[in-house]
Amino acid sequence: MTARPAVLGLLIICVAAGKAGSRKAECFDDKIWDCTSNVNPVCGNNGVTYANECFLCNEIRKTKKHLSVINQGTC
């Protein structure tokens, strides 16, 4: 039974570490929905890899969800 607190502690650390790296997406103009085809992938906090931050911003606009960038690169 002593393993349960250790596992719970590791889970808390992992969740905190995941949140620490997230940041708000930089969505500049709400009127511009066209994104360039530049490949600069970002990983959203929904577990989806977007080709670039503009595509993540369009997903935010379309779904009205509070998405953020977990890290640069693929998920």
Side-chain angles (χ1 to χ4, degrees):
M1 294 266 179
T2 59
R4 288 179 94 180
V7 171
L8 181 60
L10 287 174
L11 179 62
I12 291 170
I13 290 169
C14 290
V15 169
K19 295 288 184 188
S22 67
R23 64 173 174 81
K24 184 176 178 182
E26 295 178 14
C27 304
F28 296 108
D29 191 347
D30 287 341
K31 295 179 176 74
I32 298 175
W33 286 68
D34 292 333
C35 297
T36 65
S37 58
N38 296 344
V39 178
N40 189 13
V42 295
C43 178
N45 65 334
N46 59 350
V48 175
T49 299
Y50 296 91
N52 58 46
E53 202 159 332
C54 179
F55 287 101
L56 178 96
C57 289
N58 283 346
E59 184 71 10
I60 292 169
R61 292 178 189 124
K62 184 173 71 175
T63 64
K64 306 286 191 239
K65 291 184 178 177
H66 298 286
L67 298 175
S68 59
V69 176
I70 295 294
N71 64 284
Q72 287 296 129
T74 59
C75 293

